[in-house]
Amino acid sequence: MKNTKRNTFIVFLITIVVLFFVLKDDYENIINNLILANKWYILFGLFLIVLYWFLKALCLHIIVREYKPKIKFRKMFHQIIITQFFNGITPFSTGGQPMQVYMLKKSGIKVASATNIIVQDFIMYQLSLIVIGVFALFINWKYHFFSIPSALMSLLVLGFVINILVGVGLLFISFSKKFNDFIGKLIIRIATKAKLVKNKEKVIIKWEEKLSEFHESAKLFKNRKLLFLKCFFFHLAALFIFYVIPFFIFLSLDSTLDISIPEVITSSAFVVLIGNFVPIPGGSGGVEYGFLRFFSSFVSSSVLLSALIVWRFITYYLGMIVGGISLGFFKGDEKKRENRDFY
């Protein structure tokens, strides 16, 4: 709880700093743009972010039903909303996955199975992120939407490398039992020497039991390739929806802008790739920098800065606000009989 309050406060401070630098040079025009914006386009942008959450929840629901067939979709949607809050307040969005495992456990899923569900779901997300990123590079190379300065290209390459390494690392965790066994026992030995573990043999036995459960769960994705492809498609669709949101924000601010959906998707894909490895909650700083640099080829300064404020609210702050409120309404399954079926 202390870390949550601290991280929320850090996000608040970062927001104030970013808003200061965004508004300081053209305050009146930016505010005027926001006041005169077409609210219908902004509402459609809000609809798209909800649809993005819906598709992510749909993917999670499809996987979880393999372990608990009668679980309701609304429960998965609720969990995805809560995840937005924990992703938003932690660097690299690392807080969301542990919270998802906890929520799935409270919903009656074994910890090993819940962990595997989240790992596989994240692998599909990483794969879709890389696929769209490669697509964006190809489209920009073919149609020359904009030239990418060497500094930005270096950041993009770094973003690709990091996301690929994360994906490969997760595949090792999912399917290499020897690798996991080695790492787990190494950590236990170090913890024993540091006197953090009293009964080494007991902990190792417990670890081997959990590891076996985890890899038994992972076999589902080896045997159900159609399930993997279906969820990958939903993640792909969700990211395309997320990437197109700036298009409608720009239209809300200036309907005469000469900008196409492919240009917006390409720019958005690059922004996300750069923002993903910024070690600050929400990728703050890196995301804003990428947004301004990539979209400046198509949009004037005051409209661009106004769009940045609306875009960050819809795609980042709204999720944290709704997720934080939803957290107070989260309840696990209270039926002990149902829980016993899955432990």
Side-chain angles (χ1 to χ4, degrees), residues 238-306:
L239 276 177
F240 269 113
I241 287 168
F242 186 86
Y243 289 163
V244 83
I245 290 173
F247 178 76
F248 296 96
I249 294 173
F250 288 133
L251 285 181
S252 75
L253 296 165
D254 186 353
S255 60
T256 65
L257 282 176
D258 183 21
I259 186 170
S260 66
I261 287 180
E263 289 169 336
V264 170
I265 290 174
T266 300
S267 301
S268 296
F270 292 161
V271 171
V272 171
L273 280 169
I274 288 175
N276 267 1
F277 62 84
V278 176
I280 298 174
S284 296
V287 169
E288 287 82 4
Y289 171 76
F291 188 92
L292 295 176
R293 288 301 301 269
F294 285 116
F295 283 108
S296 62
S297 301
F298 316 108
V299 185
S300 63
S301 178
S302 64
V303 171
L304 182 59
L305 292 171
S306 304

Side-chain angles (χ1 to χ4, degrees), residues 129-333:
L129 193 74
I130 293 165
V131 167
I132 297 180
V134 171
F135 171 77
L137 280 173
F138 172 76
I139 291 296
N140 189 57
W141 169 77
K142 185 172 178 63
Y143 295 103
H144 306 289
F145 292 148
F146 45 75
S147 59
I148 304 175
S150 57
L152 277 180
M153 181 57 74
S154 297
L155 291 175
L156 276 176
V157 170
L158 183 59
F160 270 111
V161 169
I162 289 175
N163 282 288
I164 290 171
L165 288 176
V166 169
V168 171
L170 289 173
L171 285 172
F172 264 105
I173 290 171
S174 296
F175 301 113
S176 178
K177 191 171 182 179
K178 289 182 179 179
F179 174 78
N180 289 337
D181 190 50
F182 171 75
I183 295 297
K185 288 179 179 177
L186 177 63
I187 293 172
I188 291 169
R189 283 198 295 270
I190 293 172
T192 302
K193 289 181 180 180
K195 297 183 178 181
L196 297 173
V197 171
K198 293 181 179 179
N199 191 332
K200 176 183 172 183
E201 298 304 321
K202 184 178 179 181
V203 173
I204 287 177
I205 291 172
K206 192 70 175 175
W207 162 251
E208 289 176 343
E209 289 175 357
K210 293 297 181 185
L211 186 61
S212 295
E213 288 179 7
F214 179 82
H215 283 282
E216 280 299 315
S217 177
K219 288 180 182 179
L220 168 71
F221 295 89
K222 284 185 178 180
N223 301 328
R224 300 287 301 277
K225 293 180 177 62
L226 185 60
L227 173 70
F228 189 94
L229 288 173
K230 188 186 293 185
C231 291
F232 168 67
F233 170 78
F234 285 130
H235 273 295
L236 208 61
L239 276 177
F240 269 113
I241 287 168
F242 186 86
Y243 289 163
V244 83
I245 290 173
F247 178 76
F248 296 96
I249 294 173
F250 288 133
L251 285 181
S252 75
L253 296 165
D254 186 353
S255 60
T256 65
L257 282 176
D258 183 21
I259 186 170
S260 66
I261 287 180
E263 289 169 336
V264 170
I265 290 174
T266 300
S267 301
S268 296
F270 292 161
V271 171
V272 171
L273 280 169
I274 288 175
N276 267 1
F277 62 84
V278 176
I280 298 174
S284 296
V287 169
E288 287 82 4
Y289 171 76
F291 188 92
L292 295 176
R293 288 301 301 269
F294 285 116
F295 283 108
S296 62
S297 301
F298 316 108
V299 185
S300 63
S301 178
S302 64
V303 171
L304 182 59
L305 292 171
S306 304
L308 172 61
I309 293 172
V310 179
W311 177 73
R312 278 299 264 172
F313 174 78
I314 290 176
T315 61
Y316 178 54
Y317 294 104
L318 179 63
M320 288 206 314
I321 293 168
V322 177
I325 294 170
S326 298
L327 180 61
F329 296 94
F330 174 75
K331 291 181 180 180
D333 288 347

Side-chain angles (χ1 to χ4, degrees), residues 81-98:
I81 297 297
I82 292 172
T83 302
Q84 305 309 304
F85 172 74
F86 286 93
N87 280 340
I89 64 170
T90 51
F92 302 114
S93 300
T94 51
Q97 286 76 33

